[in-house]
Amino acid sequence: MAGLGKTTLATRLYNDSYIVSYFYVRSWITISQVYHKRDLLLDMLRSVVGITDEVCVMNDNMLAQLLYRALIGRRYLIVIDDIWSSKAWDDIKICFPDDNNGSKVLLTTRFKDVALHAEPGGNPLCLRFLTEEESLDLLRRKALITPRFFDYLSLIGKSIIRKCHGLPLAIVVIAGLLKNNPERDWWLHVAESVSSYIVTSENQCISTLALSYDHLPQHLRPCFLSFGAFPEDHEIPVHKLICLWIAEGFIHLNGTNKILEDVAEDYLMDLISRSLVVVCKKGLDGSIKTCRIHDLLRDICLSKAEEINFSSNMHKYNKHSFSCSHSSTSSTKSQLSLSTSAVLAIPPSCSCYSSEVSHTFFKDVSIIWDTSKLIRSLDVSSIELFVFPDELLQLVHLRYLELRFRSGNPPECISDLRELQTLIMSSRINMVVPKNMWKMISLRHLCIKSGENPVNFSSFEEDLCEIRWLDR
């Protein structure tokens, strides 16, 4: 059953101070229903030895051998979260050497036969539903209600947790509605609204969890629904998420003295406090770096988006967003087709994601748009381009753009994108920023990821909220 706490338990183990000191190497990968072996190998290598250009061009067998050599002789802990099939385990198990030195591989899965396939004759830990006492204690702690106030709310609390049927995720999400609010009338209202269905299937569980969306303030609803744009179990960089929210017009100042970025961060913290968004990684200063949502909550995002026509194509989103054809001959022009039938579109916007073609080089790219020019957000950084696609200049309403070049510079005419707020570009070698880029009066964030040579700013202004240039 989803939401029983498998990933939560694995996370507590993974981050335990004794575990951290005992294992020389730790790596965490999430597989989910749709996976690609190459992505899994690269994710593990990224945390074990790091990723270089030489590693990126290796085939799957070479990557597996490199990972095996990196782990051999070292005591390691590999967490494989949310594995759905025995085949997925068979694809990667050869990468883990058995040196009898205390190394461990920890799996979380919804299927007992997958666990037994990984270790025949083993005794996998099957998580149970919480008892009424455990459920009530979890509700109190997550709702941040002191024992003194909770005493006279306990009868209502028992009514609520009975309808959650011991599912930790449901209890935590409902607690987000009750957090810091000991008003008896509000608790009664929530108790009456919680689905009374017996939780025997995920669909019935979703009807309980959807209550949190129904009680979201209007300004948070589009922000929450936007999480459906990202792949299942995908860790989302907070900086990118905030820029996309601003680009889509989800953030409103409403007379405050804060800037849009600060308001967007407040929105995110509100969603986190409601237990709708999970914090994945934090920086040394305590700031949130990445976040994600539970796959059941993502299902709610997709169903609600379709229900209210927030996005007519969000439910069609998948990792195979790109339809590409290319040839090694320079005379053949490659085509990159982006259509609303295959690419997530949040009207009037478009956001693209693909990992399958992340290391494909396109020497001459023709982008075929089967959608409106009213696109606001576009991320094609998973493809390494040789030139800046002229077709992008037609998207005059573009507010967020992320690109990756093998070499080359953005053209002078990029300043025609007057509405652009966030521009993220990366290149293997030195990149020259054209002078007239500073005429883009809406530009708020400029991030340049340069190669071995420093970025050459032919002109420099300090009008932006943020200017970043990074050496890879």
Side-chain angles (χ1 to χ4, degrees):
M1 180 69 187
L4 279 173
K6 299 180 292 294
T7 299
T8 299
L9 179 57
T11 301
R12 291 185 64 180
L13 286 168
Y14 187 78
N15 293 324
D16 183 82
S17 58
Y18 177 77
I19 295 293
V20 172
S21 62
Y22 182 79
F23 292 100
Y24 300 131
V25 177
R26 293 182 307 138
S27 179
W28 182 296
I29 58 171
T30 302
I31 294 188
S32 298
Q33 298 182 61
V34 180
Y35 74 94
H36 297 274
K37 181 179 178 180
R38 181 179 184 82
D39 292 339
L40 301 180
L41 295 173
L42 287 172
D43 284 345
M44 285 187 283
L45 282 168
R46 188 172 289 110
S47 59
V48 176
V49 296
I51 299 295
T52 63
D53 290 340
E54 291 75 15
V55 173
C56 289
V57 298
M58 292 181 177
N59 60 37
D60 290 358
N61 289 334
M62 296 170 65
L63 291 175
Q65 293 175 13
L66 178 61
L67 180 59
Y68 184 91
R69 292 196 301 268
L71 293 176
I72 196 167
R74 307 170 73 185
R75 187 162 57 232
Y76 59 83
L77 169 65
I78 308 294
V79 176
I80 303 175
D81 187 35
D82 201 17
I83 182 170
W84 282 70
S85 68
S86 300
K87 181 181 180 300
W89 169 251
D90 292 336
D91 280 345
I92 59 176
K93 66 179 181 180
I94 59 173
C95 303
F96 308 133
D98 186 3
D99 297 327
N100 293 318
N101 62 355
S103 294
K104 300 291 181 184
V105 178
L106 174 64
L107 308 180
T108 72
T109 180
R110 301 186 193 183
F111 305 98
K112 189 173 181 179
D113 59 339
V114 174
L116 292 175
H117 176 80
E119 178 140 4
N123 184 26
L125 175 64
C126 299
L127 297 187
R128 58 172 174 80
F129 291 98
L130 300 181
T131 65
E132 181 175 301
E133 182 180 352
E134 292 168 337
S135 299
L136 197 61
D137 180 62
L138 179 61
L139 180 70
R140 181 188 63 79
R141 288 189 289 109
K142 291 298 183 180
L144 300 180
I145 304 297
T146 61
R148 181 169 63 90
F149 283 106
F150 195 73
D151 285 343
Y152 80 97
L153 296 171
S154 60
L155 289 178
I156 307 174
K158 288 180 180 179
S159 174
I160 292 173
I161 58 141
R162 287 193 193 103
K163 296 176 182 179
C164 293
H165 300 278
L167 185 68
L169 178 62
I171 296 170
V172 168
V173 170
I174 297 301
L177 298 174
L178 305 169
K179 183 172 288 186
N180 292 319
N181 188 345
E183 294 293 331
R184 185 180 180 86
D185 289 344
W186 173 241
W187 279 60
L188 286 170
H189 173 71
V190 171
E192 293 171 357
S193 303
V194 175
S195 172
S196 59
Y197 294 129
I198 297 175
V199 183
T200 56
S201 72
E202 288 188 8
N203 289 336
Q204 292 170 334
C205 178
I206 286 176
S207 67
T208 300
L209 299 181
L211 179 64
S212 287
Y213 172 81
D214 296 335
H215 284 87
L216 275 179
Q218 288 296 329
H219 66 277
L220 290 181
R221 292 190 176 190
C223 297
F224 175 66
L225 294 180
S226 69
F227 280 90
F230 297 92
E232 184 180 337
D233 294 319
H234 180 64
E235 284 195 26
I236 307 165
V238 168
H239 180 271
K240 179 174 185 174
L241 183 68
I242 287 176
C243 289
L244 286 170
W245 283 354
I246 294 174
E248 296 298 338
F250 297 158
I251 310 301
H252 306 284
L253 293 178
N254 294 329
T256 66
N257 294 325
K258 296 181 178 180
I259 61 174
L260 289 171
E261 287 75 11
D262 289 340
V263 175
E265 187 174 347
D266 290 342
Y267 285 11
L268 177 61
M269 295 306 298
D270 198 347
L271 290 173
I272 291 172
S273 70
R274 294 169 183 266
S275 301
L276 294 175
V277 176
V278 178
V279 176
C280 295
K281 294 178 182 176
K282 289 187 175 182
L284 295 177
D285 58 354
S287 61
I288 301 173
K289 296 298 184 182
T290 62
C291 62
R292 65 176 179 84
I293 60 172
H294 192 279
D295 51 0
L296 283 184
L297 292 175
R298 181 177 179 272
D299 290 341
I300 292 175
C301 289
L302 297 177
S303 62
K304 289 293 183 181
E306 185 176 6
E307 178 184 324
I308 66 174
N309 200 28
F310 178 77
S311 168
S312 59
N313 296 289
M314 183 175 288
H315 63 286
K316 298 181 181 178
Y317 176 80
N318 59 68
K319 278 194 171 185
H320 300 278
S321 297
F322 294 98
S323 173
C324 308
S325 60
H326 62 283
S327 171
S328 58
T329 59
S330 58
S331 60
T332 302
K333 192 169 187 178
S334 303
Q335 290 186 341
L336 171 60
S337 299
L338 304 177
S339 66
T340 54
S341 62
V343 179
L344 165 71
I346 305 177
S349 66
C350 178
S351 180
C352 311
Y353 172 90
S354 177
S355 60
E356 286 69 50
V357 290
S358 57
H359 299 290
T360 302
F361 299 153
F362 290 84
K363 200 163 189 176
D364 192 7
V365 177
S366 172
I367 300 183
I368 302 175
W369 298 99
D370 184 23
T371 184
S372 168
K373 291 183 180 181
L374 296 177
I375 293 171
R376 290 183 180 178
S377 305
L378 179 62
D379 176 2
V380 288
S381 59
S382 53
I383 295 180
E384 195 167 38
L385 303 170
F386 271 77
V387 295
F388 187 95
D390 293 336
E391 289 83 356
L392 295 184
L393 299 175
Q394 301 174 20
L395 308 178
V396 293
H397 296 282
L398 205 60
R399 297 182 181 180
Y400 179 101
L401 178 60
E402 188 169 350
L403 300 169
R404 182 163 62 97
F405 301 102
R406 194 175 190 186
S407 61
N409 307 309
E412 293 280 342
C413 51
I414 195 174
S415 61
D416 293 342
L417 300 175
R418 297 284 182 173
E419 300 294 323
L420 201 61
Q421 298 176 356
T422 298
L423 177 59
I424 302 174
M425 298 183 294
S426 62
S427 175
R428 292 195 180 198
I429 65 171
N430 184 30
M431 181 182 295
V432 178
V433 178
K435 293 181 179 179
N436 62 353
M437 179 177 287
W438 310 112
K439 297 179 181 179
M440 302 168 68
I441 58 176
S442 299
L443 196 62
R444 303 175 63 87
H445 303 270
L446 174 61
C447 178
I448 304 293
K449 305 174 184 178
S450 67
E452 297 179 356
N453 300 315
V455 177
N456 179 12
F457 285 88
S458 53
S459 178
F460 186 85
E461 297 286 348
E462 296 183 352
D463 303 358
L464 307 184
C465 290
E466 177 185 36
I467 302 178
R468 293 191 297 158
W469 56 96
L470 309 174
D471 290 331
R472 292 198 293 183

